[in-house]
Amino acid sequence: SLRTMSNEFPWQETRFQVIELVQKIFSHACASQEFVIKDPLHASLQLLGGLRAVIRFGKKPRPADLPQNMVSDFLDGSAKKC
């Protein structure tokens, strides 16, 4: 469990809650047969880490379709044919 990790940062509890929320979204998607995530914890950490990087270092101003593109890239893959 993530909660066994160090809790020394003020925002850590909020981080845990966001990770749990993303995992619940993945669980709901599976239950509704939308898609299945092989490892929900790993995937939620990847998604949130990638989101953080895009927010901190990505192009500004951010395109209006950025959220849809990030979810699509995450679920369907970022690769495309050359």
Side-chain angles (χ1 to χ4, degrees), residues 13-23 48:
E13 182 58 32
T14 302
R15 290 175 181 160
F16 290 145
Q17 291 173 1
V18 170
I19 292 165
E20 288 173 352
L21 177 61
V22 172
Q23 289 181 72
L48 295 170

Side-chain angles (χ1 to χ4, degrees), residues 3-43:
R3 294 195 187 279
T4 59
M5 295 171 52
S6 174
N7 204 8
E8 56 191 72
F9 297 107
W11 281 91
Q12 195 61 43
E13 182 58 32
T14 302
R15 290 175 181 160
F16 290 145
Q17 291 173 1
V18 170
I19 292 165
E20 288 173 352
L21 177 61
V22 172
Q23 289 181 72
K24 286 179 184 178
I25 292 168
F26 291 159
S27 179
H28 178 74
C30 180
S32 63
Q33 299 181 348
E34 293 291 324
F35 57 86
V36 176
I37 298 293
K38 181 171 54 173
D39 184 338
L41 174 58
H42 187 234

Side-chain angles (χ1 to χ4, degrees), residues 18-79:
V18 170
I19 292 165
E20 288 173 352
L21 177 61
V22 172
Q23 289 181 72
K24 286 179 184 178
I25 292 168
F26 291 159
S27 179
H28 178 74
C30 180
S32 63
Q33 299 181 348
E34 293 291 324
F35 57 86
V36 176
I37 298 293
K38 181 171 54 173
D39 184 338
L41 174 58
H42 187 234
S44 64
L45 294 173
Q46 283 184 309
L47 176 62
L48 295 170
L51 176 62
R52 180 178 186 267
V54 169
I55 290 170
R56 289 195 67 195
F57 306 113
K59 223 182 349 179
K60 293 178 182 141
R62 294 182 189 96
D65 60 352
L66 179 63
Q68 295 89 340
N69 288 339
M70 287 194 69
V71 170
S72 175
D73 287 350
F74 178 78
L75 293 176
D76 302 328
S78 295

